[in-house]
Amino acid sequence: MKRDFVSFTDLSREEVLSIIDYAKKLKKDKFADRTLEGKSIGLIFMKQSTRTRLSFEVGVYQMGGQPIYISGSTTQLSRGEDIKDTARVMSRYLDGIVIRTFSHQEVEELAKYSSIPVINALTDYQHPCQVLADLMTIDEEFGSLENKKVAYVGDGNNMANTLLLACALMGMDISVATPTNYEPNGKAVYESLEIAKKTGSKITITNDPKEAVLEADVIYTDVWVSMGQENEKGKKDVFKQFTVNKDLVLLAKPNAIVMHCLPAHKGEEITEDVFEQYSDVIFNQAENRLHVQKSLMSFLFKNR
């Protein structure tokens, strides 16, 4: 039976830990897994990309497969073809689909009608592959995910939504600080709170960044204006108190790290000096996209 990775919660806690553990092995030997030998993976990109496209194209190649980049503007999707029809056609040509798009519901429908694995490479609601890499990075930095607190500061966007779900699933504490009216998606908050009842994760939603970072092991931020929301540049004035700077970092634990999923708008959500101070972590975080996505693809295909 095929498995998809549309939402972070499509995996169990044990599966996430297993994927991270195997990703560490693949990081040491990039050609160790050839699960995709003879397979073709379609990469549908309705949004611009640097890290996601590169990491998936290189990853599929290193695993012996053929990555096929598909720009949304060059397919019949751009002319109104149903996503379910696209799914059924691609299932007859390809062995797997990776999609980076706007609508999360579109990815859910693609997975529903596809007979091959579908991976969510970003929607406006979630960015689960990024958070897999984030958890791998935290594990590398601290040696474990146990008893760790993540503080997310900024816009309640797809990153905030996914981090909430992931931390709840993994039993990690998370505090999300956003300006009023920019809180995370209500569905993500509700679902994470329900999961936390079983895992013991402590979840806090606040409008005070200083409160959020207290006793944090990880301070996480992202751009204030997400892709496709460029007309909302005026909202930057509302976020002035949500810049991750030295003063904010000092409120976290002494050995805390700062993370950013990139691209960074330095001087807005994070200061240049803080970014450079933690650049090794941030770019290791970016590199880990490659390794953890290879591990994920191996998991999805070996479970078919």
Side-chain angles (χ1 to χ4, degrees):
M1 184 177 178
K2 71 127 176 175
R3 292 282 300 271
D4 301 306
F5 188 52
V6 174
S7 169
F8 197 91
T9 52
D10 287 337
L11 299 174
S12 68
R13 179 181 184 277
E14 291 70 26
E15 288 170 340
V16 171
L17 292 174
S18 176
I19 287 169
I20 290 173
D21 185 59
Y22 189 47
K24 292 178 187 176
K25 296 177 183 178
L26 295 179
K27 192 170 184 176
K28 295 177 182 177
D29 185 354
K30 63 183 179 181
F31 293 114
D33 191 300
R34 304 292 284 179
T35 299
L36 300 183
E37 196 85 52
K39 292 181 170 60
S40 298
I41 309 298
L43 311 177
I44 305 174
F45 280 71
M46 311 297 283
K47 283 189 171 187
Q48 295 172 331
S49 174
T50 299
R51 282 152 292 277
T52 300
R53 178 178 176 179
L54 283 171
S55 57
F56 269 111
E57 284 202 30
V58 172
V60 171
Y61 163 76
Q62 289 180 353
M63 294 177 73
Q66 176 194 27
I68 303 175
Y69 175 76
I70 306 165
S71 170
S73 62
T74 63
T75 68
Q76 296 297 338
L77 284 170
S78 65
R79 299 180 63 243
E81 183 172 26
D82 288 345
I83 193 74
K84 62 181 180 181
D85 292 349
T86 299
R88 289 179 285 194
V89 168
M90 287 189 167
S91 293
R92 296 180 181 230
Y93 296 150
L94 302 169
D95 299 285
I97 301 172
V98 176
I99 181 168
R100 177 181 173 94
T101 188
F102 295 90
S103 168
H104 192 77
Q105 290 71 32
E106 190 173 70
V107 180
E108 291 177 327
E109 187 171 7
L110 183 70
K112 178 180 178 181
Y113 286 94
S114 170
S115 60
I116 55 178
V118 172
I119 296 175
N120 175 4
L122 178 141
T123 66
D124 287 347
Y125 178 52
Q126 282 196 48
H127 198 354
C129 289
Q130 176 65 56
V131 174
L132 272 179
D134 298 338
L135 293 180
M136 178 180 175
T137 306
I138 295 169
D139 184 74
E140 287 179 324
E141 289 292 323
F142 295 103
S144 171
L145 299 176
E146 296 288 333
N147 302 314
K148 295 298 178 289
K149 176 185 175 182
V150 176
Y152 177 90
V153 178
D155 186 27
N157 58 16
N158 52 3
M159 284 307 311
N161 297 335
T162 317
L163 285 167
L164 278 167
L165 294 168
C167 287
L169 182 69
M170 305 308 292
M172 301 165 66
D173 293 343
I174 181 168
S175 183
V176 175
T178 72
T180 303
N181 298 323
Y182 291 94
E183 290 84 2
N185 182 283
K187 178 183 176 183
V189 174
Y190 175 79
E191 187 176 349
S192 61
L193 287 170
E194 289 298 301
I195 296 170
K197 290 177 182 178
K198 301 175 184 177
T199 63
S201 171
K202 181 181 178 182
I203 295 174
T204 305
I205 309 296
T206 179
N207 301 121
D208 183 354
K210 293 180 180 179
E211 175 192 351
V213 302
L214 290 176
E215 294 302 306
D217 299 282
V218 178
I219 300 176
Y220 199 116
T221 192
D222 188 15
V223 294
W224 292 339
V225 179
S226 298
M227 199 181 310
Q229 300 174 355
E230 287 77 10
N231 61 335
E232 297 183 19
K233 288 183 178 180
K235 79 178 188 182
K236 292 178 184 178
D237 292 337
V238 180
F239 282 80
K240 286 182 179 178
Q241 303 304 313
F242 290 81
T243 299
V244 175
N245 54 33
K246 281 187 175 180
D247 290 339
L248 196 65
V249 174
L250 287 173
L251 297 176
K253 288 183 179 177
N255 64 335
I257 59 173
V258 175
M259 300 179 72
H260 195 303
C261 55
L262 299 176
H265 293 169
K266 300 166 193 175
E268 292 182 9
E269 74 275 3
I270 189 169
T271 57
E272 176 101 30
D273 57 344
V274 170
F275 183 92
E276 292 303 329
Q277 181 180 350
Y278 295 94
S279 60
D280 285 348
V281 175
I282 293 168
F283 288 105
N284 188 43
Q285 184 185 351
E287 179 190 340
N288 284 342
R289 290 288 302 278
L290 170 64
H291 311 303
V292 84
Q293 286 164 188
K294 287 170 65 179
S295 182
L296 172 68
M297 288 188 286
S298 180
F299 170 81
L300 294 177
F301 280 92
K302 284 181 178 177
N303 278 276
R304 292 196 70 189

